[in-house]
Amino acid sequence: MPVLVEFQEFFSSIVVEIFEDAEPVAAANFLDLVKSGFYDKLSMHDIKPGYVAHFGCPFTKWAKDKERDSSTLKQWQALRGCGGPVPETKFTDCSGKEHVRDAEGKIPAVFESKTSNKKYTIAMAHDGDGKIGSQLFFNLRDNTHLDWFNTDCPDKHVVIGQVISGAEELDDICKHTTWEPIFLKVKRRK
């Protein structure tokens, strides 16, 4: 049975099938964070219309509860994209193997399947040193130059899922810039 995760934004719903068998470590890391509620009420923090939409930074959560003046907006923009999971936390992949996040809350990126960064896939963002945490991005177009198996580009991202419903809603959400936070609720569907 496929593993489904739903991203909700007001009246919009985006359902993603997670490739748990193809990318067991990255998918288990993501699903553990979903289960813990880590992603709830986070905002997309870097939307590049027609390219990608980044999500998963815990520093985007507080922006909703703060007064939105120009100094608060500048603080939010400076922090977004810098956070990750709680350090030294554990999760188990679908084979039963336990993994421990490092002192920065990250794990080494493990590339197992050759799933391409095609339009409407989601991929894990990395820190530039081959580690992933909580941040991911929705591909809003074919971005095969980001494939880990593309030898023409050093920027490698592991794809962990595919939007199976709500693509139009995702496109509508991603027409906006990040000046106004777009908060999502993320849950695993049964």
Side-chain angles (χ1 to χ4, degrees):
M1 176 168 16
V3 177
L4 304 179
V5 172
E6 183 176 13
F7 293 77
Q8 296 175 326
E9 188 265 341
F10 296 110
F11 301 108
S12 299
S13 176
I14 302 156
V15 179
V16 175
E17 179 179 351
I18 303 301
F19 303 147
E20 187 177 36
D21 292 332
E23 292 295 346
V25 177
N29 174 61
F30 170 72
L31 291 169
D32 177 68
L33 295 170
V34 169
K35 181 180 177 183
S36 73
F38 177 89
Y39 291 112
D40 287 352
K41 299 180 184 172
L42 297 187
S43 176
M44 288 189 177
H45 61 269
D46 188 11
I47 297 175
K48 296 176 180 164
Y51 182 51
V52 296
H54 289 266
F55 178 71
C57 175
F59 292 129
T60 64
K61 184 178 277 190
W62 65 269
K64 184 175 186 180
D65 300 326
K66 300 287 184 183
E67 181 182 328
R68 292 193 196 142
D69 59 19
S70 61
S71 66
T72 302
L73 181 61
K74 286 179 185 174
Q75 288 174 337
W76 181 73
Q77 289 174 325
L79 289 174
R80 64 187 179 164
C82 296
V86 175
E88 313 292 334
T89 51
K90 299 176 183 179
F91 65 94
T92 305
D93 67 27
C94 63
S95 71
K97 183 177 179 187
E98 185 175 83
H99 302 270
V100 180
R101 295 180 182 98
D102 67 15
E104 296 177 324
K106 298 177 182 176
I107 60 168
V110 177
F111 304 104
E112 298 195 29
S113 73
K114 290 189 175 183
T115 306
S116 187
N117 281 274
K118 298 277 190 177
K119 187 173 185 176
Y120 301 129
T121 57
I122 63 168
M124 296 304 297
H126 60 71
D127 65 359
D129 290 328
K131 294 181 180 178
I132 60 173
S134 60
Q135 297 187 42
L136 56 94
F137 58 90
F138 289 88
N139 283 295
L140 304 177
R141 70 172 191 204
D142 288 350
N143 289 313
T144 57
H145 63 284
L146 299 177
D147 293 342
W148 67 267
F149 49 91
N150 181 342
T151 58
D152 294 334
C153 181
D155 205 14
K156 315 283 187 211
H157 297 277
V158 60
V159 174
I160 63 163
Q162 170 78 45
V163 174
I164 60 168
S165 73
E168 288 181 11
E169 288 85 348
L170 178 61
D171 286 338
D172 287 344
I173 291 168
C174 293
K175 288 178 185 173
H176 304 284
T177 64
T178 55
W179 290 104
E180 196 61 36
I182 299 166
F183 294 95
L184 301 173
K185 179 168 178 54
V186 183
K187 65 180 182 177
R188 187 170 177 163
R189 288 185 59 178
K190 302 290 181 193

